[in-house]
Each structure stands twice: as C-alpha cells, then as structure tokens.
Amino acid sequence: MLENGHYWRNRERREHVAVIEGEVSPTLVLKNGTYFNGYTKEWLNKNIWILNDRIVYVGDKLPEQYNEETEIVDCTGQFLVPGYIEPHAHPSQLYNPENLANHVAKFGTTTLINDNLTWLFLLERKKAFSLIENFNQLPISMFWWARMDSQSALQNEDEFLDSEDILSWISNPSVIQSGELTSWPKLLAGDDRLLYWMQESKRLGKPVEGHLPGASESTLTKMKLFGVSADHESITGEEVLRRLRLGYQVGLRHSSIRPDLPLLLEEILAEGITSFENFTMTTDGATPAFYEHGMMNLCIEIAIEKGVPLSEAYQMATYNVARHFNLEEQIGSITPGRIAHINILKAKDNPHPVGVLAKGKWILREEKEWEREPVIDWEKSGINELEFDWDLTDSDLQFSIPIGLDMMSNVIIRPYAIETDVTLDVLPGNRSDAFLILMDREGKWRVNTTLRGFTDRLGALVSSYSTTGDIVFIGKSKYDMKIAWKRMKELGGGIVLAHEGKIVFELPLRLGGMMFRGDMTALISKEKQLKKLLKEYGYKYDDPVYSILFLAATHLPYIRITQQGIIDVKKRELLVPAIMR
C-alpha cells in the first residue's frame, strides 16, 4: 500500500497528463515566446503550458480547451529562460532568508541553496527542521546545506557538533549538500568523525562543498580523495583550472568581499576554456547593498560581457547547478515536469527579466512587482528579540593583555604587540587602536583585547551580529561602549554606534540578534549609512559587516577572537583564554 504522500504525488502526475489529454485546463499558458532549451542549447519558438507550480507542456500546440481561469500571456518578441539558481547562499547576512528570497526573485533568482549555520546557533534541531519546512511555502525554492563545523572555536564544540544532529541534517530532504568544509585541516589531521559525515552525505547522493582557499595541488588531491565534490574559493584563473582538472565542480565567486568573477572569466577564457558545464557562479553571501540590483542576473551579465557563450552563461546559473545537486528533474530547465521557475527577457543577451514566475506564480509581471504577504511566523519558529539578564560592568572593561588584533584587510588579521596604554577610559585619537571585547550572549565569559585598523576615532560599536551570535564591542571610549550596549539591549539585538555620548546609528536586528525584520530596500539603505559612517570614523576597507562577522572565524588567517579566547589559527594554539565572569 502506498503512503499518503505517494498517493498525492501520483494524483498530481496524472493530473499533469490529463492536461495534455485535454481533460484538465492549464492554469497558465505562455504562447509564442522564444525559450532556451538547455538540453540542446537552442532558442526555440514554442508555447509553454503550466498547471499550478509545474511546467506540463513545451511545444507547438495550444490547449484545445481551457476554462475562464486559464491565464493566456502572449510572449511574442520575448525570450524565456529558466529561473536562476544561487548555489551558495548565506541567507542571514543582516537580511533574513525570506526577505532575501523575495527581493532577489524580482531579479530572476528563484532558487536559493542556503547555509544552515545560523539555525545551528539559534535553534534546537526540531524547531530548525520545522522552520526550513515552512520555507517551502514560499514561491521561491529554498534548499539547505548541512554544516559539519562551526567556523569558529567554541566552548561547547562537542555539544554543538553532536553526531546525531549532524546526521539528521544530512538526511533531511530539504538538505541537498554538506559543507562548506572550513575545518578541512582537521580532516587531514585524522578526524574520522568528520570523514564519516562526509561519506554519509555522499552515500545519500549529496555533494560535499569544500572551502579551500589557496590550496595546493597536493591538498586538493587529498580532499578529492576524501570526497569533496566542489569548491568556490579560487581567486585566480590558475586556481580555477587546477580544481577543474582534478574533477571539482568549480564555483566562480562574485561577492561583496571578493568580486572576482570578471578577472576569473578573463583568465580562464585566455587559457582557451570552451567547456563550461562544470562551472557555476555564486555571490557567496554578499552584504545587502551588493544585491540592490539583483543576484545571479548580475553574474550572468558579467559572463556575457566577458565573452562566455550565451548558452553557457545561462547554464552556469541554471542547469549546471541543478545537475550538480541532483535536482535536474525539478529545476534548471524549461521542460515538462519541472517547477515553473521562468524568467521573461526583452533580449537573449539581457539577463535582467521583465517578468518572473516562481512555482507558477507571478513575482514580476511587465516589470511590476506583485505584493505578497509574509509566510514565516518568526515568533512561532522560536526566533525572537534578544533578552539579556546581565549587564556590562566596569570590571568587564579592564584590559591588560599584550596581544592585539591588527586588521590587514576586510578579514585578514595579524597579531601585534599592544603599545597603547589600555588602562585609559578613552584611547588616543592619533592611533588606530580600539578596545575589542567578545562577550558571551548569556554573559558567562568575555575576551578583552584591542583591534587596530578598524577605527581611529569612533567612540563605540556594539553588535549582536557575529559569527557565533555573541556580542562584539569595538571602540575608543568605554563610556560610549556602555551607551551603545544599553541601546542595543533596548532594540532586542542589532548594531549600534555611539560617539561622544550620543547614539549616531542603529540597525535593529530583532530576529535572534542576527537578522533584520523588514524589507531589503530599507536594509540596503541602512547598510549604506553604516558603511559611510564607519569610513568617516576611520574604517579604511570595503566591507565592515564582514569585518565584524569574521572576527571569530577561524577558517581565516592569522589570529581570531573566539569563545575559547584568542586563537593562533595556523598553529591552532590558544594564546589568551576567555575569562569567566
């Protein structure tokens, strides 16, 4: 006897066939459009029939009969391509997954494959699974990864990486890959538990995404033997080709922190590459303003401009991704049985759509957005405003250690010997040293040091947005730190700047202290304001949001401030332990 789900699926499939037989009317017909067939790489003038969320017919015919509810759209002179797919989304970089998905869908990205790390920090497994199931109600297709490491050094590492939890994530039907694997040095050092999780992922037909910046041929070969399927960390054409020749699916990155795509394409095209089926493109969790004008549409535009053949440019953001994740029966092409993710273009070489369908529903129609009610009930899902039952004290603002963190770029940090007098209440403005504290969100521990290169005069920045969800304090003035901290508590989470006794900026992050509750347009405006202000206060790099986020990220060189204390990343040594409060 079939289970209820199989009965339902069988009925749905028979209904699809009944449309072809003229017994059921399609809900939508796109007629006379020129569509891209990814299997033959042809542009063909055909009619497309859709029933609810599925494409049921692509061909010369029009339905012989249809009812008054069938929508007929004449696409004469227009070009239809599959909805774009982002293969490597970090969906909570200030934005939340729902407002990100709704925003980028207007520009044609109708599928996101998402990092689950935020849910590991904010929710227990049962609630997290319920939440990701709720995302299936969106017209945008939402899939997930299963992280196998924390990307930092935690006080409760074994509890966080509970094997039962990790294996449950890997086997969840909404999870389609494992990774990204930032803890690969542990694998090389003999971590068989990690290797077992990878093998289990591969057994289930789910690829493993690497995170291998600067890896040598030897390291890449070893990781391939361990089972890593793909990597998106190439920063030169040579690194791209090295991965490709070893059998990796290669993601070409174009993000706010690493906008590498133009150069990567120039260099691989110069090498004579003509086959692109093992390439994808990713924006790798860019910060909000980077998405002002879309997501994968921008990557496709760059690929076309750099000389990638038109069909290959679209394939890199559609079918190539679907095939890699074993989703080609669901998404990535305009063929019968696929989810009706379709972008309508004015011209073949213009990837910015004038119409967008997601699961057969209009997201954008004749360049006008269709309004939709929110789907996710965040409170019911367990994602709420932060509440603190502890306060910042004078003893928390005592600094005495000799080692500080010196910013060399947005995210590369070296150790330095502190020479500034850190017993002062306000650090001198002629130096770029600032106080730095990482404080446990529950107030149980703290790590105090200095950060050089982030600001030369800002009184204070306090942020609940961080790698691990703990609280970051940066600034020249202990008094301003207290003011910014008080306001951040009142907001229930966020990023707050204080200077000379006044609040000069605030960004509420009322969803777990990590995510904005509002539309992307408002968030983009706030992020631009934050970046402008921080530059005025001495920030000299490009992406302050990532600078804050990655202070505790141990997959980057050379030194980090973590829950355990200050860590030498390369040596994996604890230089200064956290202090219990």
Side-chain angles (χ1 to χ4, degrees):
M1 184 175 179
L2 292 174
E3 296 178 2
N4 289 337
H6 289 294
Y7 273 127
W8 175 85
R9 193 73 177 130
N10 283 353
R11 288 198 304 271
E12 184 184 53
R13 290 183 183 277
R14 291 197 176 278
E15 191 176 27
H16 294 165
V17 173
V19 175
I20 307 305
E21 294 174 342
E23 298 171 1
V24 173
S25 297
T27 51
L28 173 62
V29 176
L30 305 175
K31 68 177 186 178
N32 301 327
T34 300
Y35 87 103
F36 175 63
N37 187 303
Y39 286 88
T40 62
K41 300 184 181 178
E42 298 173 288
W43 295 85
L44 303 169
N45 187 263
K46 300 293 179 182
N47 302 310
I48 300 169
W49 308 358
I50 295 166
L51 180 68
N52 301 321
D53 67 339
R54 295 280 170 164
I55 300 166
V56 296
Y57 175 81
V58 183
D60 296 321
K61 298 178 182 179
L62 287 169
E64 293 181 4
Q65 51 182 307
Y66 44 84
N67 60 35
E68 64 278 0
E69 295 180 359
T70 302
E71 183 180 7
I72 310 292
V73 178
D74 191 345
C75 297
T76 300
Q78 295 180 313
F79 300 87
L80 283 63
V81 296
Y84 310 142
I85 308 169
E86 167 56 87
H88 192 84
H90 297 270
S92 49
Q93 308 294 52
L94 300 182
Y95 37 74
N96 68 69
E98 184 174 26
N99 64 12
L100 174 67
N102 287 333
H103 175 73
V104 300
K106 297 180 298 187
F107 301 93
T109 300
T110 55
T111 300
L112 300 179
I113 298 168
N114 298 296
D115 189 358
N116 74 329
L117 186 61
T118 298
W119 311 141
L120 297 184
F121 282 114
L122 295 183
L123 295 172
E124 56 89 20
R125 185 192 354 158
K126 186 176 179 181
K127 284 193 173 182
F129 285 178
S130 178
L131 176 59
I132 66 172
E133 186 175 343
N134 289 339
F135 278 110
N136 293 334
Q137 299 172 37
L138 293 175
I140 297 88
S141 291
M142 300 287 274
F143 299 98
W144 301 87
W145 338 330
R147 283 276 192 166
M148 297 182 289
D149 52 53
S150 67
Q151 202 169 275
S152 189
L154 307 183
Q155 293 206 345
N156 60 338
E157 191 83 21
D158 290 340
E159 180 182 330
F160 182 83
L161 297 176
D162 177 80
S163 193
E164 182 180 348
D165 282 346
I166 299 297
L167 293 173
S168 294
W169 273 99
I170 291 171
S171 62
N172 187 289
S174 292
V175 172
I176 59 172
Q177 80 163 2
S178 294
E180 59 185 304
L181 191 65
T182 57
S183 62
W184 58 269
K186 291 184 179 180
L187 187 63
L188 290 176
D191 189 333
D192 277 341
R193 187 173 69 156
L194 182 55
L195 182 56
Y196 170 62
W197 295 338
M198 293 170 62
Q199 289 175 327
E200 185 64 12
S201 184
K202 298 296 283 285
R203 184 184 69 81
L204 294 171
K206 301 179 181 184
V208 177
E209 177 71 17
H211 187 281
L212 306 166
S216 66
E217 181 182 58
S218 175
T219 296
L220 289 169
T221 299
K222 292 174 186 176
M223 299 311 294
K224 202 76 185 73
L225 292 170
F226 281 130
V228 174
S229 314
D231 188 72
H232 60 284
E233 288 292 328
S234 302
I235 59 173
T236 66
E238 180 184 356
E239 291 185 354
V240 169
L241 294 178
R242 187 183 303 154
R243 285 159 173 76
L244 191 65
R245 288 165 179 157
L246 290 172
Y248 284 82
Q249 184 81 15
V250 181
L252 305 178
R253 179 168 48 194
H254 191 64
S255 73
S256 55
I257 198 167
R258 292 237 45 125
D260 296 329
L261 184 60
L263 180 61
L264 292 177
L265 289 171
E266 287 174 7
E267 292 184 350
I268 63 177
L269 286 166
E271 290 292 328
I273 290 294
T274 58
S275 178
F276 292 86
E277 62 264 29
N278 293 307
F279 289 117
T280 60
M281 297 180 287
T282 177
T283 59
D284 196 13
T287 42
F290 194 79
Y291 294 131
E292 185 169 9
H293 302 294
M295 184 179 264
M296 300 312 296
N297 55 311
L298 303 177
C299 293
I300 298 169
E301 180 180 53
I302 291 169
I304 293 170
E305 288 176 349
K306 292 299 177 183
V308 174
L310 196 61
S311 61
E312 303 293 347
Y314 285 110
Q315 291 283 78
M316 284 198 289
T318 57
Y319 181 74
N320 291 4
V321 185
R323 188 193 66 237
H324 174 62
F325 290 110
N326 298 312
L327 295 173
E328 65 267 41
E329 291 289 320
Q330 296 187 54
I331 56 176
S333 64
I334 299 177
T335 44
R338 275 44 170 194
I339 296 171
H341 292 323
I342 299 175
N343 292 333
I344 301 173
L345 313 176
K346 285 183 177 179
K348 291 180 185 179
D349 59 356
N350 182 353
H352 309 294
V354 295
V356 177
L357 284 169
K359 294 181 183 173
K361 298 177 181 178
W362 289 107
I363 301 295
L364 187 73
R365 176 77 188 277
E366 296 177 349
E367 301 186 79
K368 294 182 180 178
E369 300 172 27
W370 283 41
E371 295 296 327
R372 297 195 176 277
E373 293 296 319
V375 167
I376 304 301
D377 185 332
W378 292 104
E379 285 77 13
K380 187 175 180 180
S381 299
I383 305 291
N384 301 295
E385 295 181 11
L386 295 182
E387 295 181 0
F388 300 93
D389 60 1
W390 56 276
D391 213 342
L392 188 69
T393 66
D394 288 340
S395 62
D396 292 324
L397 299 174
Q398 301 301 312
F399 296 79
S400 60
I401 69 169
I403 301 171
L405 280 64
D406 191 8
M407 291 183 62
M408 311 305 294
S409 71
N410 289 295
V411 297
I412 304 302
I413 304 174
R414 295 182 184 273
Y416 80 104
I418 299 171
E419 297 176 351
T420 301
D421 182 359
V422 291
T423 64
L424 300 172
D425 288 338
V426 179
L427 294 180
N430 62 345
R431 304 178 70 95
S432 61
D433 305 76
F435 298 118
L436 171 63
I437 306 173
L438 184 68
M439 185 82 75
D440 176 34
R441 153 181 310 222
E442 297 179 0
K444 296 179 180 178
W445 52 262
R446 60 180 170 87
V447 184
N448 293 44
T449 183
T450 61
L451 179 65
R452 188 165 71 181
F454 188 88
T455 180
D456 56 16
R457 66 190 191 92
L458 177 64
L461 175 151
V462 175
S463 174
S464 60
Y465 173 80
S466 66
T467 300
T468 54
D470 297 307
I471 313 302
V472 174
F473 297 77
I474 303 170
K476 308 285 269 187
S477 166
K478 296 177 181 178
Y479 175 66
D480 285 335
M481 282 185 169
K482 291 180 180 179
I483 291 173
W485 156 249
K486 180 181 178 182
R487 181 57 183 154
M488 193 275 288
K489 282 202 304 178
E490 292 170 350
L491 292 174
I495 299 175
V496 176
L497 274 60
H499 190 66
E500 295 180 348
K502 297 179 180 179
I503 302 297
V504 296
F505 173 85
E506 59 185 48
L507 171 59
L509 298 174
R510 294 191 168 98
L511 298 178
M514 300 287 282
M515 299 172 287
F516 182 69
R517 186 167 194 165
D519 65 56
M520 280 287 284
T521 301
L523 178 58
I524 287 168
S525 176
K526 293 292 285 186
E527 191 217 347
K528 287 181 177 179
Q529 183 186 357
L530 173 63
K531 185 174 180 179
K532 181 175 182 292
L533 272 172
L534 287 175
K535 283 184 172 290
E536 290 173 2
Y537 286 116
Y539 182 81
K540 56 187 178 181
Y541 301 111
D542 302 313
D543 206 331
V545 173
Y546 258 105
S547 295
I548 296 166
L549 177 67
F550 278 165
L551 285 170
T554 53
H555 64 290
L556 294 165
Y558 293 88
I559 187 172
R560 300 288 141 173
I561 184 170
T562 75
Q563 290 185 1
Q564 293 181 12
I566 298 175
I567 299 279
D568 182 315
V569 173
K570 188 174 182 180
K571 295 179 180 178
R572 297 285 163 177
E573 289 183 2
L574 180 62
L575 303 178
V576 179
I579 298 170
M580 301 307 293
R581 298 177 75 234

